[in-house]
Amino acid sequence: MTDVESATDWTEAGRKLFAGPCDFFFAAAKSDGLPPVGPPEVAFAGRSNVGKSSLVNALTGRTGLARASNTPGRTQELIFFDLHGKATLVDMPGYGYAAVAKSKSASWGRLIQDYLRGRPSLLRVLLLVDGRHGLKESDHETMRMLDAAAVSYAVALTKRDEVKAADREARVAETLEGLSKHVAAFPEVLFTSARTGDGVAELRAHIARLLAERGAGAGGAAKLG
């Protein structure tokens, strides 16, 4: 552990990072319609019913920022949010919904793959996994795509409040075991609840530390080896 790392309060850095304004500024339905590369990007991916919009709203403290669709699989765009010039949050289309037409699903796949492979400002994908069920095959499929694109990603379990306290430690252990099979996975699992706020401070700290380690400010730490 470096002196800078040990001296940094990442929870406080995360609080400050997300205390500023966060606003929608772009939506892209095609890979040739992405916004110009700007601040570092952190993307959020997950199954259509994982609670992605709710967690993004909890993370930013803005209840109406990311809008959850009443129809799973409806959102087909990459949604970009400006975190007061410090970072860009990217809400990716949900996956794994059986009722979505194959042609539409294929289109989403191309959009996501093109974004992952050709976005130099993308620092990490936060893969949200339903904490009630753990990793599904569709999650592993997405992780294999991230592995192939050499994009760093971390898993955040959602809906912690709906998982029995006695089962939470085992769910985290199971998830870590699943991550061990993927080369681009970050070896850490966060357990969050958008409803109660559990794990939100830790997720903010994770992002603040990531930005600092990649030389993007948010705490002033030097890049770690």
Side-chain angles (χ1 to χ4, degrees):
M1 180 179 290
T2 67
D3 291 339
V4 171
E5 183 181 355
S6 61
T8 301
D9 182 345
W10 295 112
T11 300
E12 178 61 12
R15 185 195 67 78
K16 289 180 178 179
L17 175 65
F18 284 91
C22 187
D23 301 292
F24 164 83
F25 75 93
F26 205 90
K30 297 181 179 179
S31 57
D32 59 0
L34 293 171
V37 171
E41 296 174 2
V42 177
F44 295 78
R47 291 172 59 87
S48 296
N49 58 352
V50 77
K52 186 154 46 69
S53 296
S54 297
L55 187 58
V56 170
N57 288 337
L59 188 66
T60 59
R62 289 157 180 79
T63 57
L65 183 66
R67 298 181 180 179
S69 172
N70 292 326
T71 304
R74 182 177 179 182
T75 302
Q76 304 170 37
E77 301 170 314
L78 292 167
I79 308 296
F80 293 78
F81 302 101
D82 171 34
L83 189 60
H84 57 98
K86 299 292 186 182
T88 298
L89 307 182
V90 184
D91 188 359
M92 301 178 73
Y95 58 81
Y97 188 63
V100 175
K102 288 185 178 181
S103 59
K104 190 175 294 184
S105 179
S107 175
W108 298 355
R110 286 193 298 273
L111 170 63
I112 292 172
Q113 288 184 22
D114 289 346
Y115 170 69
L116 294 176
R117 293 179 184 277
R119 196 67 175 175
S121 51
L122 177 61
L123 297 188
R124 179 165 294 162
V125 171
L126 291 171
L127 182 65
L128 307 188
V129 173
D130 193 325
R132 299 171 302 177
H133 310 301
L135 292 169
K136 298 287 189 181
E137 177 53 33
S138 57
D139 299 315
H140 283 288
E141 183 179 345
T142 297
M143 288 191 286
R144 287 191 289 268
M145 181 170 62
L146 291 165
D147 290 338
V151 173
S152 171
Y153 58 95
V155 166
L157 298 172
T158 62
K159 305 181 182 181
R160 184 178 189 273
D161 56 297
E162 298 183 41
V163 179
K164 293 179 181 179
D167 296 335
R168 292 169 186 164
E169 186 175 339
R171 187 56 38 80
V172 170
E174 292 166 4
T175 305
L176 283 169
E177 174 63 23
L179 291 181
S180 69
K181 304 171 184 176
H182 295 277
V183 297
F186 189 76
E188 178 185 358
V189 173
L190 300 169
F191 213 151
T192 67
S193 168
R195 190 177 70 83
T196 66
D198 288 339
V200 170
E202 289 80 359
L203 185 55
R204 290 171 178 160
H206 178 96
I207 294 172
R209 180 172 177 170
L210 171 66
L211 294 174
E213 290 176 351
R214 298 294 184 89
K223 183 176 180 180
L224 303 178

